[in-house]
Amino acid sequence: MPSVYPGLDILQNTFGSSYQPKTNGTTPLQARTDLYPAYSIVNDAKSKAKKLSAEAAHEFDVASQKAQAKTGHIQLYSSQYYAACTFGGLMACGITHTAVTPLDLVKTRRQIDSKLYKGNFQAWGHILRHEGVRGVFTGWSPTFFGYSAQGAFKYGWYEFFKKKYSDLAGPENAHKYKTALYLSASASAEFLADLALCPLEAIKVRMQGTIPSQYKGTFDGFSQITAKEGWGGLYKGLYPLWGRQIPYTMMKFASFETIVEMIYDRLPGSKSDYSKAAQTGVSFVGGYAAGILCAIVSHPADVMVSKLNAYRQPGEGMGAVTSRIYKDIGFKGLWNGLPVRIVMIGTLTGLQWMIYDYFKVFMGFPTTGGAAPPAEKPAQHS
């Protein structure tokens, strides 16, 4: 029986020999079997990552339990608790500040001489070519020792003063005026922490601000400064350091506590519903946001600290040198290096809070957050 449909020869005679019928090839929505190996590799990587994450969490829990078994149960707000928080602050600040030494080096040199480099990457390339890898990390040792000491005092004293001022204010006032509580506790802590930081900050800035560095290391800088200028030479930048660090730390702690509390308020459930890993993730996010605010608030004083340690002449009064520097650089000069410092301080602050809270979790303490509301008093009936 002849077909009712035209044959291929008829179609080609009608439309030309270029006509070719559609074949049963793959359609746009049809699965491509050639990609199956790639999918398999991705899935294998995901499963291995989950397995490693679970193993790491298990090892962390085991190590945490062993540490807590050795120390015994540490009562919150006891002397052991403050000692543990002091050590956590040492770890959080010493490691992170040392890791960003290359950023700090470029920032300091650009603050002292804004025309020295055209940009950050150009600066690192120039330093690497002329001073080597070691030159990129100029000032790492006073940074490590100085900020380890500062972090220890800052976090330890903050926990102490926060509890002390809360007790003095009472539960209801402590919750009602919690931002003022954070600000006063952090200011008190930083005032003391800077006494430990100032000598090493002076050595660091002089090492980073001179090309080549005038000191071989921390101890060489310490001996040279005390020999030429006495002990006062190590503390001549103390007032501007307070001017930089106290507003910085007040913003760092108060904004962090507030931001973390806001995050949990907007998440479903309460803070206790989330795992410790999730809570430390919130700590990083809150810390990074707080760090951006810190960098902006404290930057003009940071520029002045760099200038003072580099250009202040022996016997020159604080007011005279500050006036002279401001006349040279103007208001615009106070903001030299701000973008670099925002990246540096944001990253630093986020990592510091994450490390600090990880250590608190390791020791069995709650992570840092906003003050809990006071318990409601039962109604009294007459």
Side-chain angles (χ1 to χ4, degrees), residues 233-308:
L234 295 169
Y235 283 94
K236 72 180 186 180
L238 180 60
Y239 292 142
L241 185 64
W242 274 333
R244 179 189 81 183
Q245 288 297 126
I246 291 177
Y248 165 87
T249 301
M250 291 170 72
M251 179 64 74
K252 173 180 179 176
F253 282 84
S255 60
F256 172 79
E257 297 258 18
T258 303
I259 291 168
V260 166
E261 190 172 353
M262 289 172 61
I263 291 173
Y264 284 119
D265 284 344
R266 283 159 178 74
L267 289 174
S270 61
K271 177 181 175 180
S272 58
D273 295 331
Y274 294 90
S275 67
K276 297 300 182 183
Q279 290 182 29
T280 52
V282 171
S283 297
F284 176 79
V285 173
Y288 201 102
I292 295 173
L293 300 175
C294 293
I296 296 170
V297 166
S298 63
H299 193 73
D302 185 62
V303 173
M304 291 303 294
V305 169
S306 299
K307 294 282 189 181
L308 280 164

Side-chain angles (χ1 to χ4, degrees), residues 31-209:
R32 292 180 57 186
T33 56
D34 58 311
L35 294 180
Y36 285 175
Y39 295 146
S40 178
I41 292 171
V42 171
N43 287 330
D44 286 346
K46 287 182 178 179
S47 62
K48 287 179 180 178
K50 288 181 180 179
K51 185 178 179 181
L52 288 173
S53 177
E55 289 176 357
H58 176 71
E59 292 296 328
F60 180 87
D61 290 339
V62 170
S64 175
Q65 291 170 7
K66 288 181 178 179
Q68 293 177 43
K70 288 182 179 179
T71 59
H73 176 69
I74 297 178
Q75 188 76 23
L76 288 179
Y77 313 120
S78 64
S79 58
Q80 285 181 301
Y81 171 76
Y82 295 127
C85 292
T86 297
F87 185 75
L90 182 151
M91 291 178 59
C93 293
I95 295 170
T96 51
H97 274 278
T98 305
V100 296
T101 298
L103 269 172
D104 189 39
L105 171 66
V106 173
K107 173 200 68 93
T108 301
R109 288 185 176 177
R110 294 187 73 182
Q111 286 174 343
I112 294 173
D113 184 359
S114 60
K115 299 178 182 178
L116 185 61
Y117 305 121
K118 295 179 180 178
N120 299 326
F121 290 102
Q122 184 267 337
W124 288 316
H126 184 274
I127 295 169
L128 193 61
R129 287 192 301 271
H130 292 83
E131 303 174 49
V133 176
R134 188 174 180 179
V136 176
F137 285 89
T138 299
W140 75 266
S141 60
T143 297
F144 176 75
F145 292 120
Y147 283 94
S148 292
Q150 186 239 22
F153 284 111
K154 177 164 61 178
Y155 280 88
W157 282 115
Y158 175 71
E159 296 283 358
F160 174 81
F161 284 121
K162 185 167 73 167
K163 173 63 172 153
K164 188 71 174 178
Y165 296 160
S166 294
D167 290 344
L168 291 173
E172 292 184 7
N173 286 331
H175 178 66
K176 186 177 180 180
Y177 303 107
K178 55 190 173 185
T179 302
L181 180 72
Y182 304 146
L183 292 170
S184 56
S186 57
S188 302
E190 188 61 43
F191 180 86
L192 298 174
D194 287 345
L195 297 175
L197 173 63
C198 190
L200 293 147
E201 180 75 359
I203 296 169
K204 177 190 77 78
V205 170
R206 295 191 193 192
M207 285 182 69
Q208 294 180 336

